[in-house]
Amino acid sequence: MKIKIFYFARLKETLKYSTEDLELPDEPMTILKLKALLAKRSDVWGQMLMGKLKVRAAINHELVDDHAAINHGDEVAFFPPVTGG
Amino acid sequence: MKIKIFYFARLKETLKYSTEDLELPDEPMTILKLKALLAKRSDVWGQMLMGKLKVRAAINHELVDDHAAINHGDEVAFFPPVTGG
Amino acid sequence: MTVRVQTEDFDAGFEISRLHKNRKDIGAVVSFIGLVRDLNDGDAVSQLTLEHYPGMTEKSLTSIINQAMARWSIKDALIIHRVGTLQPSDQIVLVAVSGAHRGEAFAACEFMMDYLKTEAPFWKKEVTPQGEHWVEAKSADDAARERWIK
Amino acid sequence: MTVRVQTEDFDAGFEISRLHKNRKDIGAVVSFIGLVRDLNDGDAVSQLTLEHYPGMTEKSLTSIINQAMARWSIKDALIIHRVGTLQPSDQIVLVAVSGAHRGEAFAACEFMMDYLKTEAPFWKKEVTPQGEHWVEAKSADDAARERWIK
Protein backbone atom coordinates (compact mmCIF):
# COMPACT_ATOMS: atom_id res chain seq x y z
CA MET A 1 0.00 0.00 0.00
CA LYS A 2 1.01 3.59 -0.57
CA ILE A 3 0.86 6.34 2.01
CA LYS A 4 2.01 9.95 2.26
CA ILE A 5 3.89 11.19 5.34
CA PHE A 6 4.37 14.76 6.57
CA TYR A 7 6.82 15.92 9.24
CA PHE A 8 6.54 19.18 11.14
CA ALA A 9 8.51 21.49 13.40
CA ARG A 10 11.51 19.90 15.15
CA LEU A 11 11.00 16.61 13.28
CA LYS A 12 10.98 18.27 9.87
CA GLU A 13 14.01 20.35 10.76
CA THR A 14 16.08 17.51 12.23
CA LEU A 15 15.11 14.78 9.76
CA LYS A 16 15.37 17.24 6.86
CA TYR A 17 12.16 15.78 5.46
CA SER A 18 8.92 17.69 5.16
CA THR A 19 7.02 15.06 3.19
CA GLU A 20 7.53 11.72 1.47
CA ASP A 21 5.53 9.07 -0.40
CA LEU A 22 6.09 5.60 1.01
CA GLU A 23 5.29 2.14 -0.36
CA LEU A 24 4.58 -0.37 2.41
CA PRO A 25 3.93 -4.12 2.36
CA ASP A 26 0.21 -4.97 2.23
CA GLU A 27 -0.09 -6.02 5.84
CA PRO A 28 -1.76 -4.46 8.89
CA MET A 29 0.07 -1.27 9.80
CA THR A 30 -0.26 0.99 12.83
CA ILE A 31 1.34 4.29 13.83
CA LEU A 32 3.63 2.42 16.25
CA LYS A 33 4.76 -0.08 13.60
CA LEU A 34 5.38 2.73 11.12
CA LYS A 35 7.45 4.65 13.66
CA ALA A 36 9.52 1.54 14.39
CA LEU A 37 10.05 1.02 10.67
CA LEU A 38 11.16 4.62 10.09
CA ALA A 39 13.34 4.54 13.22
CA LYS A 40 15.57 1.94 11.54
CA ARG A 41 16.69 4.45 8.90
CA SER A 42 19.41 5.95 11.13
CA ASP A 43 20.24 6.97 14.69
CA VAL A 44 18.68 10.39 14.25
CA TRP A 45 15.44 8.84 12.91
CA GLY A 46 15.42 6.52 15.90
CA GLN A 47 15.95 9.39 18.32
CA MET A 48 13.28 11.52 16.71
CA LEU A 49 10.54 8.87 16.40
CA MET A 50 11.25 6.28 19.13
CA GLY A 51 13.42 8.27 21.55
CA LYS A 52 12.69 10.43 24.55
CA LEU A 53 10.88 13.12 22.58
CA LYS A 54 7.12 12.98 22.60
CA VAL A 55 5.83 12.48 19.08
CA ARG A 56 2.22 12.96 18.13
CA ALA A 57 0.64 11.54 15.00
CA ALA A 58 -2.29 12.30 12.74
CA ILE A 59 -3.99 10.19 10.09
CA ASN A 60 -5.93 12.14 7.48
CA HIS A 61 -5.82 15.27 9.65
CA GLU A 62 -7.13 13.59 12.80
CA LEU A 63 -4.98 13.20 15.92
CA VAL A 64 -4.49 9.49 16.65
CA ASP A 65 -2.62 7.31 19.12
CA ASP A 66 0.04 4.64 18.53
CA HIS A 67 -2.51 1.89 17.94
CA ALA A 68 -4.36 3.61 15.12
CA ALA A 69 -4.49 1.60 11.87
CA ILE A 70 -2.99 3.00 8.68
CA ASN A 71 -4.62 2.16 5.34
CA HIS A 72 -3.76 2.57 1.68
CA GLY A 73 -3.94 6.17 0.55
CA ASP A 74 -3.74 7.61 4.07
CA GLU A 75 -1.99 10.87 4.85
CA VAL A 76 0.08 10.34 8.00
CA ALA A 77 1.82 13.13 9.91
CA PHE A 78 4.38 13.13 12.73
CA PHE A 79 5.06 16.18 14.88
CA PRO A 80 5.94 17.29 18.43
CA PRO A 81 3.22 18.25 20.92
CA VAL A 82 1.58 21.41 19.61
CA THR A 83 2.48 24.86 20.98
CA GLY A 84 0.19 27.36 19.25
CA GLY A 85 -2.22 29.89 20.70
CA MET B 1 -27.49 63.66 64.18
CA LYS B 2 -28.03 64.53 60.56
CA ILE B 3 -27.87 62.08 57.67
CA LYS B 4 -28.63 62.12 53.97
CA ILE B 5 -30.66 59.32 52.38
CA PHE B 6 -30.88 58.30 48.72
CA TYR B 7 -33.46 55.97 47.17
CA PHE B 8 -33.02 54.19 43.84
CA ALA B 9 -34.95 52.26 41.21
CA ARG B 10 -38.25 50.76 42.38
CA LEU B 11 -37.91 52.41 45.82
CA LYS B 12 -37.38 55.88 44.37
CA GLU B 13 -40.26 55.40 41.94
CA THR B 14 -42.76 54.05 44.48
CA LEU B 15 -41.83 56.26 47.43
CA LYS B 16 -41.51 59.27 45.14
CA TYR B 17 -38.38 60.27 47.00
CA SER B 18 -34.95 60.32 45.44
CA THR B 19 -33.14 61.95 48.34
CA GLU B 20 -33.83 63.55 51.70
CA ASP B 21 -31.97 65.07 54.63
CA LEU B 22 -33.02 63.59 57.95
CA GLU B 23 -32.48 64.70 61.53
CA LEU B 24 -32.31 61.76 63.95
CA PRO B 25 -32.10 61.56 67.76
CA ASP B 26 -28.49 61.27 68.97
CA GLU B 27 -28.65 57.60 69.86
CA PRO B 28 -27.13 54.47 68.29
CA MET B 29 -28.66 53.92 64.87
CA THR B 30 -28.41 50.96 62.51
CA ILE B 31 -29.73 50.29 59.01
CA LEU B 32 -32.43 48.04 60.48
CA LYS B 33 -33.55 50.67 63.03
CA LEU B 34 -33.61 53.33 60.31
CA LYS B 35 -35.72 51.11 58.04
CA ALA B 36 -38.16 50.46 60.90
CA LEU B 37 -38.37 54.20 61.56
CA LEU B 38 -39.04 55.07 57.92
CA ALA B 39 -41.52 52.17 57.60
CA LYS B 40 -43.83 53.96 60.04
CA ARG B 41 -44.39 56.82 57.60
CA SER B 42 -47.15 54.96 55.73
CA ASP B 43 -48.22 51.56 54.42
CA VAL B 44 -46.28 52.00 51.22
CA TRP B 45 -43.10 52.92 53.12
CA GLY B 46 -43.61 49.82 55.26
CA GLN B 47 -44.08 47.61 52.22
CA MET B 48 -41.05 49.02 50.47
CA LEU B 49 -38.61 48.92 53.40
CA MET B 50 -39.84 46.18 55.73
CA GLY B 51 -42.01 44.09 53.40
CA LYS B 52 -41.37 41.12 51.16
CA LEU B 53 -39.10 43.00 48.78
CA LYS B 54 -35.40 42.58 49.29
CA VAL B 55 -33.82 45.93 50.12
CA ARG B 56 -30.10 46.51 50.05
CA ALA B 57 -28.37 49.38 51.80
CA ALA B 58 -25.15 51.34 51.46
CA ILE B 59 -23.44 53.70 53.89
CA ASN B 60 -21.07 56.19 52.30
CA HIS B 61 -21.08 54.19 49.04
CA GLU B 62 -20.25 50.84 50.66
CA LEU B 63 -22.73 47.95 50.66
CA VAL B 64 -23.67 47.10 54.27
CA ASP B 65 -26.03 44.75 56.09
CA ASP B 66 -28.89 45.50 58.51
CA HIS B 67 -26.58 45.68 61.52
CA ALA B 68 -24.28 48.39 60.18
CA ALA B 69 -24.05 51.50 62.37
CA ILE B 70 -25.06 54.88 61.01
CA ASN B 71 -23.21 57.99 62.19
CA HIS B 72 -23.67 61.74 61.92
CA GLY B 73 -22.99 63.00 58.41
CA ASP B 74 -23.38 59.60 56.75
CA GLU B 75 -24.82 59.15 53.30
CA VAL B 76 -27.25 56.23 53.46
CA ALA B 77 -28.86 54.63 50.39
CA PHE B 78 -31.67 52.10 49.97
CA PHE B 79 -32.24 50.18 46.76
CA PRO B 80 -33.34 46.81 45.36
CA PRO B 81 -30.80 44.10 44.53
CA VAL B 82 -28.71 45.35 41.62
CA THR B 83 -29.36 44.23 38.04
CA GLY B 84 -26.65 45.82 35.89
CA GLY B 85 -24.16 44.25 33.52
CA MET C 1 -6.94 50.79 35.26
CA THR C 2 -10.00 52.34 33.64
CA VAL C 3 -13.51 52.74 35.05
CA ARG C 4 -16.13 54.67 33.11
CA VAL C 5 -19.89 55.11 33.45
CA GLN C 6 -21.35 56.83 30.42
CA THR C 7 -24.48 57.25 28.30
CA GLU C 8 -22.65 57.09 24.96
CA ASP C 9 -21.64 53.88 23.22
CA PHE C 10 -18.05 52.57 23.37
CA ASP C 11 -15.65 51.14 20.78
CA ALA C 12 -14.86 47.75 22.31
CA GLY C 13 -11.98 47.03 19.93
CA PHE C 14 -10.26 50.31 20.69
CA GLU C 15 -10.72 49.92 24.45
CA ILE C 16 -9.44 46.33 24.41
CA SER C 17 -6.41 47.29 22.31
CA ARG C 18 -5.45 49.92 24.90
CA LEU C 19 -4.82 47.05 27.34
CA HIS C 20 -2.03 45.55 25.23
CA LYS C 21 -0.96 47.88 22.42
CA ASN C 22 2.83 48.31 22.29
CA ARG C 23 3.20 46.30 25.50
CA LYS C 24 5.55 43.32 25.31
CA ASP C 25 4.64 41.85 28.69
CA ILE C 26 1.02 40.97 27.83
CA GLY C 27 0.33 37.44 26.61
CA ALA C 28 -3.43 37.29 27.16
CA VAL C 29 -6.39 39.66 26.98
CA VAL C 30 -9.84 38.38 27.95
CA SER C 31 -12.88 40.56 27.43
CA PHE C 32 -16.61 40.42 27.98
CA ILE C 33 -19.23 42.51 26.20
CA GLY C 34 -22.79 42.52 27.57
CA LEU C 35 -25.58 43.46 25.17
CA VAL C 36 -29.32 44.17 25.30
CA ARG C 37 -31.36 41.17 24.10
CA ASP C 38 -34.89 41.51 22.75
CA LEU C 39 -35.98 38.61 24.95
CA ASN C 40 -35.37 38.44 28.71
CA ASP C 41 -36.97 35.83 30.98
CA GLY C 42 -39.61 35.25 28.32
CA ASP C 43 -40.53 38.92 27.88
CA ALA C 44 -40.14 40.73 24.56
CA VAL C 45 -37.99 43.76 25.33
CA SER C 46 -38.25 46.84 23.12
CA GLN C 47 -36.25 49.21 25.31
CA LEU C 48 -34.15 49.24 28.45
CA THR C 49 -33.33 52.04 30.89
CA LEU C 50 -30.33 51.77 33.18
CA GLU C 51 -30.26 53.77 36.40
CA HIS C 52 -27.23 53.95 38.69
CA TYR C 53 -25.95 55.52 41.90
CA PRO C 54 -23.43 58.17 40.83
CA GLY C 55 -20.41 58.19 43.10
CA MET C 56 -20.98 54.73 44.51
CA THR C 57 -20.92 53.15 41.04
CA GLU C 58 -17.38 54.30 40.23
CA LYS C 59 -16.14 53.27 43.69
CA SER C 60 -17.78 49.87 43.36
CA LEU C 61 -16.26 49.20 39.92
CA THR C 62 -12.83 50.38 41.08
CA SER C 63 -13.09 48.08 44.09
CA ILE C 64 -13.99 45.14 41.83
CA ILE C 65 -10.87 45.74 39.71
CA ASN C 66 -8.73 46.09 42.85
CA GLN C 67 -10.06 42.79 44.21
CA ALA C 68 -9.27 41.06 40.90
CA MET C 69 -5.77 42.53 40.85
CA ALA C 70 -5.14 41.41 44.43
CA ARG C 71 -6.31 37.89 43.66
CA TRP C 72 -4.70 37.21 40.29
CA SER C 73 -1.45 38.23 38.67
CA ILE C 74 -2.94 40.48 36.00
CA LYS C 75 -1.46 43.61 34.46
CA ASP C 76 -4.39 45.89 33.70
CA ALA C 77 -8.19 45.91 33.61
CA LEU C 78 -11.06 48.09 32.51
CA ILE C 79 -14.79 48.36 33.07
CA ILE C 80 -17.04 50.57 30.96
CA HIS C 81 -20.76 50.54 31.78
CA ARG C 82 -23.48 52.47 30.01
CA VAL C 83 -26.50 54.09 31.66
CA GLY C 84 -29.62 55.71 30.21
CA THR C 85 -31.90 54.36 27.51
CA LEU C 86 -30.77 51.45 25.33
CA GLN C 87 -32.31 49.33 22.57
CA PRO C 88 -31.91 45.62 21.78
CA SER C 89 -28.46 44.87 20.26
CA ASP C 90 -26.94 47.90 22.06
CA GLN C 91 -23.76 47.35 24.07
CA ILE C 92 -24.22 47.68 27.87
CA VAL C 93 -20.92 46.78 29.45
CA LEU C 94 -17.31 45.99 28.59
CA VAL C 95 -15.00 44.22 31.05
CA ALA C 96 -11.48 43.42 29.89
CA VAL C 97 -8.35 42.10 31.59
CA SER C 98 -4.77 41.78 30.38
CA GLY C 99 -2.06 39.60 31.86
CA ALA C 100 0.86 37.36 31.09
CA HIS C 101 -1.15 34.11 31.07
CA ARG C 102 -4.61 33.13 29.91
CA GLY C 103 -5.83 31.19 32.96
CA GLU C 104 -5.58 34.15 35.28
CA ALA C 105 -7.02 36.57 32.71
CA PHE C 106 -10.08 34.34 32.16
CA ALA C 107 -10.67 33.91 35.89
CA ALA C 108 -10.25 37.62 36.64
CA CYS C 109 -12.60 38.67 33.84
CA GLU C 110 -15.37 36.27 34.87
CA PHE C 111 -14.89 37.22 38.55
CA MET C 112 -15.27 40.89 37.66
CA MET C 113 -18.50 40.26 35.74
CA ASP C 114 -19.94 38.10 38.53
CA TYR C 115 -19.18 40.81 41.09
CA LEU C 116 -20.43 43.60 38.85
CA LYS C 117 -23.73 41.72 38.43
CA THR C 118 -24.28 41.45 42.19
CA GLU C 119 -22.51 44.47 43.74
CA ALA C 120 -22.36 47.41 41.33
CA PRO C 121 -25.34 49.75 41.84
CA PHE C 122 -27.08 49.57 38.46
CA TRP C 123 -30.78 48.85 37.93
CA LYS C 124 -32.51 47.90 34.70
CA LYS C 125 -36.05 48.78 33.73
CA GLU C 126 -37.47 47.06 30.68
CA VAL C 127 -40.18 48.19 28.29
CA THR C 128 -42.26 45.23 27.08
CA PRO C 129 -45.68 44.92 25.39
CA GLN C 130 -47.11 44.49 28.94
CA GLY C 131 -45.62 47.81 30.01
CA GLU C 132 -42.56 48.90 31.95
CA HIS C 133 -41.08 46.88 34.79
CA TRP C 134 -37.95 46.73 36.89
CA VAL C 135 -35.80 43.69 36.13
CA GLU C 136 -35.66 41.22 39.03
CA ALA C 137 -32.27 40.15 40.37
CA LYS C 138 -31.47 36.53 39.51
CA SER C 139 -30.47 33.93 42.06
CA ALA C 140 -28.18 32.47 39.34
CA ASP C 141 -26.13 35.67 39.58
CA ASP C 142 -25.80 35.28 43.35
CA ALA C 143 -24.75 31.67 42.81
CA ALA C 144 -22.16 32.75 40.23
CA ARG C 145 -20.69 35.19 42.73
CA GLU C 146 -20.67 32.61 45.55
CA ARG C 147 -18.32 30.41 43.50
CA TRP C 148 -15.51 32.91 44.13
CA ILE C 149 -15.88 32.89 47.91
CA LYS C 150 -13.67 30.21 49.39
CA MET D 1 -18.74 30.21 12.38
CA THR D 2 -15.38 31.59 11.23
CA VAL D 3 -12.00 29.85 11.12
CA ARG D 4 -9.02 31.59 9.55
CA VAL D 5 -5.28 30.89 9.48
CA GLN D 6 -3.36 33.83 8.10
CA THR D 7 -0.01 35.63 8.10
CA GLU D 8 -1.52 39.13 8.25
CA ASP D 9 -2.68 40.82 11.46
CA PHE D 10 -6.38 40.98 12.39
CA ASP D 11 -8.66 43.73 13.71
CA ALA D 12 -9.93 42.14 16.90
CA GLY D 13 -12.62 44.78 17.48
CA PHE D 14 -14.07 44.35 14.00
CA GLU D 15 -14.01 40.56 14.23
CA ILE D 16 -15.65 40.55 17.67
CA SER D 17 -18.35 43.00 16.53
CA ARG D 18 -19.28 40.63 13.68
CA LEU D 19 -20.45 38.15 16.34
CA HIS D 20 -23.14 40.47 17.67
CA LYS D 21 -23.69 43.48 15.41
CA ASN D 22 -27.37 44.02 14.62
CA ARG D 23 -28.28 40.78 16.40
CA LYS D 24 -30.89 41.07 19.13
CA ASP D 25 -30.49 37.55 20.50
CA ILE D 26 -26.91 37.99 21.78
CA GLY D 27 -26.45 38.98 25.43
CA ALA D 28 -22.81 38.05 25.90
CA VAL D 29 -19.62 38.02 23.85
CA VAL D 30 -16.43 36.63 25.41
CA SER D 31 -13.14 36.92 23.58
CA PHE D 32 -9.52 35.99 24.06
CA ILE D 33 -6.52 37.58 22.35
CA GLY D 34 -3.14 35.86 22.61
CA LEU D 35 -0.04 37.99 22.08
CA VAL D 36 3.72 37.51 21.73
CA ARG D 37 5.54 38.34 24.98
CA ASP D 38 9.19 39.35 25.06
CA LEU D 39 9.75 36.92 27.95
CA ASN D 40 8.76 33.25 27.84
CA ASP D 41 9.83 30.71 30.48
CA GLY D 42 12.67 33.04 31.47
CA ASP D 43 14.01 33.56 27.93
CA ALA D 44 14.14 36.97 26.28
CA VAL D 45 12.25 36.57 23.01
CA SER D 46 13.04 38.88 20.09
CA GLN D 47 11.09 37.01 17.42
CA LEU D 48 8.71 34.11 17.01
CA THR D 49 7.94 31.90 14.02
CA LEU D 50 4.71 29.92 13.86
CA GLU D 51 4.52 26.83 11.69
CA HIS D 52 1.31 24.89 11.08
CA TYR D 53 -0.11 21.89 9.21
CA PRO D 54 -2.22 23.34 6.40
CA GLY D 55 -5.42 21.40 5.94
CA MET D 56 -5.36 19.79 9.35
CA THR D 57 -5.24 23.17 11.10
CA GLU D 58 -8.54 24.37 9.67
CA LYS D 59 -10.24 21.03 10.38
CA SER D 60 -8.91 21.03 13.92
CA LEU D 61 -10.14 24.57 14.64
CA THR D 62 -13.53 23.83 13.07
CA SER D 63 -13.81 20.71 15.21
CA ILE D 64 -13.00 22.73 18.34
CA ILE D 65 -15.83 25.18 17.56
CA ASN D 66 -18.22 22.31 16.82
CA GLN D 67 -17.37 20.66 20.15
CA ALA D 68 -18.00 23.94 21.98
CA MET D 69 -21.32 24.43 20.18
CA ALA D 70 -22.41 20.88 21.01
CA ARG D 71 -21.53 21.36 24.67
CA TRP D 72 -22.86 24.85 25.37
CA SER D 73 -25.82 26.85 24.14
CA ILE D 74 -23.84 29.44 22.20
CA LYS D 75 -24.83 31.27 19.03
CA ASP D 76 -21.61 31.82 17.10
CA ALA D 77 -17.85 31.52 17.46
CA LEU D 78 -14.67 32.42 15.63
CA ILE D 79 -11.00 31.50 15.70
CA ILE D 80 -8.33 33.45 13.85
CA HIS D 81 -4.74 32.25 14.21
CA ARG D 82 -1.67 33.82 12.65
CA VAL D 83 1.33 31.94 11.26
CA GLY D 84 4.73 33.12 10.04
CA THR D 85 7.12 35.50 11.75
CA LEU D 86 5.90 37.66 14.64
CA GLN D 87 7.47 40.16 17.08
CA PRO D 88 6.78 40.81 20.76
CA SER D 89 3.44 42.64 21.24
CA ASP D 90 2.05 41.15 17.98
CA GLN D 91 -1.34 39.45 18.09
CA ILE D 92 -1.22 35.66 17.60
CA VAL D 93 -4.74 34.39 18.10
CA LEU D 94 -8.31 35.57 18.56
CA VAL D 95 -11.01 33.29 19.94
CA ALA D 96 -14.46 34.75 20.46
CA VAL D 97 -17.87 33.35 21.36
CA SER D 98 -21.33 34.89 21.39
CA GLY D 99 -24.38 33.61 23.20
CA ALA D 100 -27.42 34.56 25.19
CA HIS D 101 -25.80 34.24 28.63
CA ARG D 102 -22.35 34.99 30.01
CA GLY D 103 -21.63 31.76 31.89
CA GLU D 104 -21.83 29.61 28.78
CA ALA D 105 -19.89 32.12 26.67
CA PHE D 106 -17.04 32.25 29.22
CA ALA D 107 -16.87 28.45 29.49
CA ALA D 108 -16.98 27.92 25.73
CA CYS D 109 -14.27 30.52 25.07
CA GLU D 110 -11.88 29.09 27.67
CA PHE D 111 -12.61 25.53 26.48
CA MET D 112 -11.76 26.54 22.92
CA MET D 113 -8.44 28.09 23.98
CA ASP D 114 -7.52 25.06 26.12
CA TYR D 115 -8.25 22.72 23.20
CA LEU D 116 -6.49 24.94 20.68
CA LYS D 117 -3.38 24.93 22.89
CA THR D 118 -3.25 21.13 23.01
CA GLU D 119 -4.84 19.91 19.75
CA ALA D 120 -4.44 22.45 16.95
CA PRO D 121 -1.30 21.76 14.89
CA PHE D 122 0.74 24.92 15.43
CA TRP D 123 4.37 25.03 16.55
CA LYS D 124 6.32 28.01 17.84
CA LYS D 125 10.01 28.64 17.36
CA GLU D 126 11.55 31.45 19.40
CA VAL D 127 14.57 33.59 18.65
CA THR D 128 16.44 34.45 21.88
CA PRO D 129 19.96 35.76 22.63
CA GLN D 130 20.98 32.07 22.99
CA GLY D 131 19.74 31.31 19.47
CA GLU D 132 16.63 29.72 18.01
CA HIS D 133 14.67 26.99 19.71
CA TRP D 134 11.34 25.22 19.44
CA VAL D 135 8.99 26.05 22.28
CA GLU D 136 8.30 23.07 24.56
CA ALA D 137 4.71 22.05 25.20
CA LYS D 138 3.61 22.82 28.77
CA SER D 139 2.10 20.27 31.11
CA ALA D 140 -0.05 23.13 32.49
CA ASP D 141 -1.75 23.26 29.09
CA ASP D 142 -2.50 19.54 29.24
CA ALA D 143 -3.86 20.01 32.75
CA ALA D 144 -6.05 22.91 31.56
CA ARG D 145 -7.50 20.68 28.86
CA GLU D 146 -8.09 17.78 31.28
CA ARG D 147 -10.43 19.96 33.33
CA TRP D 148 -13.03 19.73 30.56
CA ILE D 149 -13.03 15.93 30.39
CA LYS D 150 -15.65 14.61 32.74
Side-chain angles (χ1 to χ4, degrees), chain A residues 6-13 53-54 56-58 60-63 75-77 79-85, chain D residues 50-56 59 81 92-93 113 116-125 134-137 142:
Chain A
F6 285 91
Y7 304 91
F8 290 98
R10 193 199 304 270
L11 272 73
K12 175 170 80 176
E13 200 174 69
L53 288 170
K54 272 190 203 162
R56 298 195 77 176
N60 300 329
H61 298 156
E62 299 278 350
L63 281 176
E75 176 175 318
V76 177
F79 43 78
V82 303
T83 57
Chain D
L50 264 152
E51 180 178 329
H52 77 122
Y53 181 179
M56 178 169 168
K59 280 188 201 171
H81 202 297
I92 303 172
V93 63
M113 268 313 296
L116 188 157
K117 280 269 182 187
T118 49
E119 300 209 337
F122 294 101
W123 301 275
K124 281 181 187 147
K125 192 178 195 176
W134 291 99
V135 172
E136 297 292 334
D142 290 325

Side-chain angles (χ1 to χ4, degrees), chain B residues 6-13 53-54 56 58 60-63 75-77 79-85, chain C residues 50-56 59 81 92-93 113 116-125 134-137:
Chain B
F6 285 89
Y7 304 91
F8 291 97
R10 193 198 304 269
L11 272 73
K12 175 171 78 177
E13 201 175 66
L53 289 171
K54 272 191 202 163
R56 298 195 78 177
N60 301 328
H61 297 156
E62 299 278 350
L63 281 175
E75 177 175 319
V76 177
F79 43 77
V82 304
T83 56
Chain C
L50 264 151
E51 180 178 330
H52 77 123
Y53 181 178
M56 178 170 170
K59 281 188 200 169
H81 202 297
I92 303 171
V93 62
M113 268 314 296
L116 188 156
K117 280 268 180 186
T118 49
E119 300 210 338
F122 295 99
W123 302 274
K124 282 181 186 146
K125 192 177 194 176
W134 291 98
V135 172
E136 297 292 333

Side-chain angles (χ1 to χ4, degrees), chain D residues 15-142:
Chain D
E15 301 296 343
I16 292 167
S17 76
R18 289 175 51 217
L19 288 185
H20 64 82
K21 207 160 179 91
N22 300 321
R23 286 189 66 162
K24 301 180 175 181
D25 58 340
I26 303 292
V29 178
V30 175
S31 63
F32 173 85
I33 302 169
L35 303 128
V36 183
R37 287 190 307 139
D38 63 1
L39 195 74
N40 190 27
D41 292 335
D43 291 326
V45 176
S46 59
Q47 194 172 288
L48 188 76
T49 307
L50 264 152
E51 180 178 329
H52 77 122
Y53 181 179
M56 178 169 168
T57 318
E58 293 77 1
K59 280 188 201 171
S60 167
L61 299 179
T62 302
S63 162
I64 288 168
I65 292 183
N66 283 332
Q67 287 176 67
M69 289 190 147
R71 191 154 170 169
W72 290 282
S73 172
I74 56 178
K75 304 272 187 184
D76 202 358
L78 71 85
I79 303 178
I80 300 174
H81 202 297
R82 292 177 71 190
V83 291
T85 301
L86 302 175
Q87 322 293 332
S89 92
D90 280 353
Q91 301 185 118
I92 303 172
V93 63
L94 171 66
V95 171
V97 178
S98 65
H101 304 291
R102 77 183 183 288
E104 300 206 281
F106 268 111
C109 190
E110 194 165 14
F111 168 93
M112 286 167 62
M113 268 313 296
D114 289 343
Y115 272 64
L116 188 157
K117 280 269 182 187
T118 49
E119 300 209 337
F122 294 101
W123 301 275
K124 281 181 187 147
K125 192 178 195 176
E126 288 176 349
V127 179
T128 72
Q130 292 78 44
E132 287 192 354
H133 67 262
W134 291 99
V135 172
E136 297 292 334
K138 291 189 177 66
S139 58
D141 287 328
D142 290 325

